[in-house]
Amino acid sequence: MHISDQTFDDWVRQYQRLLFGIAYWWTGSRTDAEELTQEAFFQAYRSRSSLREIEAVKGWLVGILRHCYAQMYRKGHSRIEISLDEVMERSGDTMDLRSDGTDPHDSLALRQALERLDERHRLPLVLFYFQELSYREIAEALELPLGTVMSRLSRARQLLHETLATPGALTLVKKIRKVNGI
Amino acid sequence: MNCDLYRSEMYAWRPGSDEKTFQPLFDHLDSCAECARFFEHLTASDERVGRTFQSYPQSPFLESRILSRLAHQRAQATARRPGRRVWMLAPAFVALLIVFFVWAAPWLQLARVNREMAILLSKPPALEINSTDRERLLEWSASQLQGSPTLPAELDKVEFRGAAAISVAAHRAVLLKMENEERASLVVVDAPLTQDNLFHSMHEGSGSASLWSDGRRSYVLLFNGTDQELQAYMTRMGIIA
């Protein structure tokens, strides 16, 4: 399939935010997410002839992002545990409710909860909540059987909710609140 | 099914899921207040998690960085492409060259023979053997060449007075001076310099020449005169009709 440079550039404009968001929740790092997103688009550009249907471009890009993620962590990157100081530095100026009504403490708690999940649960979970992809789309992007995706997601959601509901999971957030005088 | 199993099933449910599959769950929720509260809490928590997923840092320059690097890659690829095209054309160019040389080889050889004949006409070699004995001269000529001393039938009437060993187009050859015509010489080359036994005329400032072949050897009749005089001589000697 021939894909013009103009079409590909349009895809970059349309999907870069989506890929960055997924990568951010997968890695927990803005820098890694930017690196992953760029690499995913470059690899997608190089292999653009492998895309079978234009309609499947979103799932195709997410699949490439997943490959890049696997490559990045095979090459020696490891998920960096976020220190309290780093969390405070990143979030210290946004501790009030955001304009969209979300609580920044929820973001921290979510990030911590995701870090506690192993990769096979974290990857589909992010696709499930972040983009609300269907089970089938998640299965295609992760190259997994549909049944496997459904069982992993069910287990991942359970683990996530249990973690978020556990008082210990929010210790870090409470510490930050205390530091910020909340 | 007990409540624990129904609760694990709640995690498999999502809005829009197949109602039939989850009907037993919803039937249970209608009859179990505790599970109904749990499900309500789970649904609310899910919505909150979903909203939280949408609140992530922005990367305002990411799009322009990706686009500019893509543009750079494309520019590099365009710059490399002409070189690649030249390499791709190289086999075709070589093939074309081979075809040209195969096609042009007879013409190139004829041109070379023509140049060498012009030299022989203007600067004839000194005779190495002087004799009017045709058999002896032909025997001597055969020793300089390879194979039989016979000449083609069209040269039966020609008599010679001497011979010299020479080289024509890197092939061994002999030059025989005619007895009955001072201006004429015959060059016998031990190679087919022309494709057939048709007479090819060659004109030079010092005279004229006619080349033909019997398929094994080539014969060139050199004549210090015009083309018409050469043609008249060849007719007179029965070389051509």
Side-chain angles (χ1 to χ4, degrees):
Chain A
M1 177 181 290
H2 175 73
I3 295 156
S4 70
D5 289 350
Q6 180 61 49
T7 303
F8 195 86
D9 287 353
D10 289 342
W11 290 346
V12 171
R13 292 183 193 98
Q14 191 176 347
Y15 295 113
Q16 57 88 17
R17 202 172 136 67
L18 164 72
L19 262 58
F20 172 76
I22 293 170
Y24 173 75
W25 289 115
W26 276 353
T27 62
S29 157
R30 181 179 164 160
T31 312
D32 284 356
E34 286 177 342
E35 194 182 324
L36 263 181
T37 308
Q38 289 185 71
E39 187 54 35
F41 275 114
F42 299 143
Q43 285 198 16
Y45 182 72
R46 284 195 291 271
S47 60
R48 61 194 183 282
S49 57
S50 68
L51 177 64
R52 290 177 198 158
E53 298 168 11
I54 295 283
E55 294 73 29
V57 64
K58 187 165 84 172
W60 177 69
L61 287 171
V62 173
I64 292 172
L65 183 74
R66 205 263 306 171
H67 275 291
C68 293
Y69 175 79
Q71 282 171 356
M72 177 184 266
Y73 288 96
R74 261 203 305 272
K75 282 178 185 169
H77 277 70
S78 59
R79 284 175 60 78
I80 302 161
E81 294 298 326
I82 300 167
S83 68
L84 179 62
D85 290 344
E86 191 183 356
V87 171
M88 287 170 65
E89 187 186 324
R90 289 183 188 185
S91 311
D93 59 345
T94 56
M95 276 299 164
D96 295 328
L97 277 179
R98 292 175 176 139
S99 58
D100 59 5
T102 57
D103 186 340
H105 300 111
D106 284 352
S107 297
L108 291 175
L110 178 60
R111 216 159 58 193
Q112 281 188 298
L114 286 173
E115 292 216 345
R116 289 185 183 192
L117 294 178
D118 61 27
E119 206 167 274
R120 66 200 177 113
H121 289 127
R122 187 173 60 251
L123 300 192
L125 195 71
V126 169
L127 298 180
F128 177 83
Y129 279 112
F130 179 71
Q131 193 55 32
E132 295 184 342
L133 293 178
S134 68
Y135 288 129
R136 188 166 296 284
E137 286 173 315
I138 295 170
E140 283 172 7
L142 299 180
E143 293 175 354
L144 288 172
L146 189 62
T148 306
V149 166
M150 289 174 76
S151 63
R152 281 189 191 179
L153 263 175
S154 176
R155 178 68 183 142
R157 287 174 76 195
Q158 187 174 358
L159 288 170
L160 179 73
H161 283 289
E162 284 173 3
T163 307
L164 289 171
T166 306
L170 299 175
T171 308
L172 183 60
V173 177
K174 283 176 184 169
K175 280 181 183 175
I176 294 166
R177 283 183 172 165
K178 200 173 172 184
V179 168
N180 286 287
I182 300 170
Chain B
M1 202 184 277
N2 61 32
C3 291
D4 284 344
L5 287 174
Y6 279 118
R7 286 186 186 184
S8 68
E9 203 167 307
M10 289 177 203
Y11 292 109
W13 178 86
R14 68 187 292 187
S17 297
D18 179 32
E19 280 182 25
K20 204 174 171 185
T21 309
F22 290 94
Q23 196 54 52
L25 169 67
F26 288 109
D27 290 344
H28 175 73
L29 292 179
D30 288 339
S31 61
C32 178
E34 200 179 334
C35 281
R37 272 198 303 279
F38 183 86
F39 184 69
E40 196 180 337
H41 174 76
L42 178 65
T43 309
S45 177
D46 238 12
E47 283 175 11
R48 188 169 177 175
V49 168
R51 279 200 307 276
T52 307
F53 263 107
Q54 298 306 321
S55 60
Y56 58 93
Q58 302 300 305
S59 184
F61 303 111
L62 183 59
E63 181 183 306
S64 57
R65 277 214 301 273
I66 295 168
L67 290 174
S68 69
R69 272 188 61 183
L70 278 173
H72 179 67
Q73 278 188 0
R74 286 168 192 150
Q76 280 186 323
T78 308
R80 279 196 301 268
R81 213 164 284 149
R84 206 160 49 218
R85 278 186 188 150
V86 167
W87 275 113
M88 285 166 71
L89 286 175
F93 180 73
V94 170
L96 207 64
L97 217 57
I98 290 168
V99 168
F100 172 76
F101 275 109
V102 168
W103 173 78
W107 278 269
L108 292 172
Q109 179 163 272
L110 209 57
R112 183 180 178 185
V113 171
N114 203 11
R115 280 198 306 276
E116 294 189 14
M117 291 308 141
I119 293 167
L120 286 173
L121 279 165
S122 59
K123 294 177 185 172
L127 295 177
E128 293 175 45
I129 177 168
N130 289 294
S131 173
T132 54
D133 186 339
R134 181 184 167 100
E135 291 302 314
R136 191 182 161 209
L137 279 173
L138 291 183
E139 286 291 340
W140 181 87
S141 297
S143 69
Q144 302 302 314
L145 307 173
Q146 283 177 332
S148 80
T150 56
L151 289 175
E154 58 261 37
L155 292 169
D156 279 352
K157 288 185 184 174
V158 180
E159 296 296 331
F160 306 106
R161 58 181 170 86
I166 57 171
S167 171
V168 174
H171 299 290
R172 284 193 281 190
V174 289
L175 181 141
L176 294 154
K177 289 294 282 183
M178 305 302 197
E179 190 189 11
N180 54 356
E181 175 58 79
E182 281 284 323
R183 295 175 295 174
S185 310
L186 177 72
V187 177
V188 182
V189 187
D190 223 2
L193 299 178
T194 180
Q195 299 291 323
D196 47 47
N197 63 355
L198 295 175
F199 294 85
H200 296 275
S201 295
M202 296 178 282
H203 311 283
E204 291 298 328
S206 306
S208 307
S210 185
L211 168 75
W212 73 100
S213 172
D214 62 2
R216 190 171 66 88
R217 287 174 175 165
S218 302
Y219 305 92
V220 190
L221 195 61
L222 299 176
F223 198 86
N224 287 106
T226 64
D227 189 44
Q228 287 76 15
E229 287 171 325
L230 169 64
Q231 294 293 318
Y233 173 72
M234 289 173 77
T235 307
R236 196 166 65 245
M237 301 306 295
I239 298 171
I240 55 172

